Amino acid sequence: MQGTISNPGPRKSLPKILYTRLLLYFPEFIWAIVGAVWVSDNSVQCEKTVINGVIGTVIASWIIIIFTVIGVVIVFDPLGGKKTFYLPDGVSRNLESSQSGQLLYNVKSSATRVWEKRIRLLCCCIVQDDDHRVAFTSIAELFRSYFSDTDLVPSDIAAGLILLHQEQDKMENCPKEPEEVLCHSPSSLMSDDLDVELENAAHYMLFAAAAYGWPYYVYTNPYTALCKLNGDCCRNRPTDSDITGSDRHNFHFGSILKITGLQYRDFIHISFHNKIYEIPFFVALDHKKEAIVVAVRGTLSFEDILTDLSADCEDLTLEEVLENGFVHKGITQAANYIYRKLINDGILNQAFTIAPEYKLVIVGHSLGGGTASILAIMLRNSFPTLKCYAFSPPGGLLSKSLADYTKHFIVSVIVGKDLVARLSMPNMEDLKRRIVRIVANCNRPKYQILLRGCWYEVFGGDPDDFPTELDGRSQDALTQPLLAEESLMVHRSPSYNALEEESHLNSPPQYPHLYLPGRIIHIVEESSSRRLCSSDIKYTARWSNETVFSSILISPKMITDHMPDVVLKALNSLSQEHGLCLSCQTREHNPSAV
């Protein structure tokens, strides 16, 4: 409660208290063991009330001990003061002496190993092979480069997110300039095209959601799903040649049938096989739209998370694109896996043999949307008329040249303040810079920020107007870091510097700017009822561009706006509204039809 986040002076005696508490932790641990032994001894004769009180005390002691150990494991930084050796500019820029260079290399290697051990511990439940080890190292390098240049603890980050959210809400409440309002008024031609794409997107989102299998079906039908799936578990059992991967009790396939409304004979291939860089998908015939649909599943397992986090860039060679671009490495490898299955195993040939006049449509949500987009780029030469619908794809996916190339055949659908659609390393660096800036320059204690922030997030109200050192400064002065800010930014990482100045090297940066694929439909919540029990929400949709998603927005809905059921609900609402508008227009032009 003393001082501020960037002013730890009033808390300077706290480390001594913590170390004293650590010394008391060992006798407390021994005492808890003695208490557990005493409680387990049935020969002790005491009053029942006393025994119950002691049992409760022993249980509470063990809970405190366990949570203390977990907290230390999460918060403790094994590197400690080693960071400062390679963080100051004098050391990081002047590596002429072999001693300084070796010291820098050793500390970076130590940081990478620490992160790699943490990731291995989190993924201890999955079988680990060479692909996993390579992914662990790549992800550890990413986390090391991102977190190495700041001196923030988790509660500092939470306070920063709270302050950013309230600052953002204050900006949104300000009246917009007339020019800003006019720029969102679409032409009638674009409006007609938008209506068609929204109707198609609402239809194909069912396939993207169905790819999640029984977890999505149970999530959206919590009371009846298990009963319905149990009743159908023995029906329409697919043969071994139709399906690969594990699907116990036929729950996945039964859920796909119920969500899409298709028949078993409409499915060409179903794969539930799931490893790192290898994600489930299915191929089906959509007779309503006369399309062969390839639906790719989004993130649902630890392996999928590792694929998401393998965020290094790699080249994607295309003859049609003048400048070969960069793509997300993990998602590209997942797309390569599906491409080999579709082409080498003859799955698409089989589908077009059955329905040669149908068009090819590739769909997916989240990780599936990103994989579907890159898969569409790979298949574009062989199938020039293909279309791709990417629902809530990751933001850091394609370089600018590839993103522009995909505008002819890919449509991305983003709802609200979806976090994943704004995720990229430059955006994360920008978020870190904003957190450090607003946290370091707030003059209130952290506990006040957290308590008032929790109240604001839960109950709403007006955003708090916390005084900061940023108030009253000129625009030129705001571009310069304050002393408090520099105390939390121990040094600037390469990707952080890339935000402010272009690299003059011929080789690309490790994490260049990557963008969303194709044309972008942005769906926003227009109005909603304040009542908790009401689901009366109206949506509006408009064509957008990738620059709108160049900054991460902090909101309680940044996660829920990404969920497949929310995306499907928004699309269905807009599609139904469009159908009602068409019905009204028909009646106005043809009164005799009423």
Side-chain angles (χ1 to χ4, degrees), residues 292-354:
I292 295 170
V293 180
V294 179
V296 187
R297 197 190 77 181
T299 302
L300 198 63
S301 66
F302 270 116
E303 289 85 356
D304 298 335
I305 294 174
L306 293 176
T307 301
D308 285 318
L309 292 176
S310 298
D312 289 341
C313 294
E314 66 178 25
D315 293 321
L316 183 64
T317 303
L318 286 175
E319 296 178 359
E320 288 76 10
V321 182
L322 298 177
E323 179 187 354
N324 289 334
F326 302 107
V327 289
H328 185 290
K329 178 182 177 181
I331 296 177
T332 301
Q333 293 196 30
N336 272 320
Y337 161 74
I338 298 178
Y339 178 86
R340 291 192 299 270
K341 298 287 288 184
L342 294 177
I343 301 301
N344 298 346
D345 293 358
I347 297 174
L348 285 184
N349 283 339
Q350 179 185 352
F352 279 103
T353 300
I354 298 173

Side-chain angles (χ1 to χ4, degrees), residues 7 29 83 145 149 151 233 263 312 406 423 538-539 562:
N7 178 26
F29 180 69
K83 281 184 183 180
S145 64
D149 59 350
D151 185 21
C233 66
Q263 302 296 318
D312 289 341
T406 59
L423 274 184
K538 290 194 66 177
Y539 297 94
H562 181 72

Side-chain angles (χ1 to χ4, degrees), residues 32-51:
I33 294 175
V34 173
V37 173
W38 185 87
V39 166
S40 62
D41 186 2
N42 296 324
S43 63
V44 177
Q45 301 296 326
C46 289
E47 293 184 7
K48 190 174 182 180
T49 305
V50 175
I51 293 177

Side-chain angles (χ1 to χ4, degrees), residues 346-365:
I347 297 174
L348 285 184
N349 283 339
Q350 179 185 352
F352 279 103
T353 300
I354 298 173
E357 72 282 3
Y358 281 17
K359 61 180 179 292
L360 179 62
V361 178
I362 307 174
V363 302
H365 172 266

Side-chain angles (χ1 to χ4, degrees), residues 343-515:
I343 301 301
N344 298 346
D345 293 358
I347 297 174
L348 285 184
N349 283 339
Q350 179 185 352
F352 279 103
T353 300
I354 298 173
E357 72 282 3
Y358 281 17
K359 61 180 179 292
L360 179 62
V361 178
I362 307 174
V363 302
H365 172 266
S366 189
L367 168 63
T371 306
S373 300
I374 297 178
L375 180 62
I377 295 173
M378 295 175 175
L379 292 170
R380 173 74 167 168
N381 279 346
S382 303
F383 304 93
T385 61
L386 73 77
K387 288 277 292 186
C388 174
Y389 289 90
F391 303 96
S392 308
L397 190 65
L398 306 175
S399 61
K400 184 68 169 121
S401 59
L402 279 175
D404 291 339
Y405 170 72
T406 59
K407 293 183 186 296
H408 303 291
F409 56 95
I410 296 180
V411 174
S412 292
V413 179
I414 311 297
V415 174
K417 298 177 180 178
D418 185 354
L419 169 66
V420 175
R422 294 169 169 84
L423 274 184
S424 66
M425 283 306 296
N427 285 2
M428 289 296 293
E429 288 289 344
D430 173 67
L431 176 64
K432 176 173 64 177
R433 177 183 60 80
R434 289 189 289 146
I435 287 176
V436 169
R437 192 166 186 76
I438 200 166
V439 160
N441 301 305
C442 183
N443 295 334
R444 293 290 180 89
K446 187 182 351 182
Y447 82 95
Q448 290 187 13
I449 299 173
L450 294 174
L451 289 177
R452 295 188 183 186
C454 290
W455 179 275
Y456 178 75
E457 300 296 341
V458 174
F459 300 104
D462 295 327
D464 283 319
D465 190 15
F466 287 111
T468 74
E469 295 181 32
L470 300 176
D471 297 338
R473 301 183 81 211
S474 64
Q475 190 62 33
D476 293 338
L478 286 174
T479 62
Q480 301 299 323
L482 297 174
L483 182 61
E485 185 178 349
E486 290 179 333
S487 70
L488 295 181
M489 283 298 288
V490 195
H491 89 118
R492 290 190 171 189
S493 61
S495 49
Y496 187 94
N497 288 329
L499 292 173
E500 299 183 354
E501 57 184 31
E502 292 187 17
S503 174
H504 296 286
L505 301 176
N506 292 328
S507 59
Q510 185 179 7
Y511 303 111
H513 283 280
L514 298 179
Y515 302 92

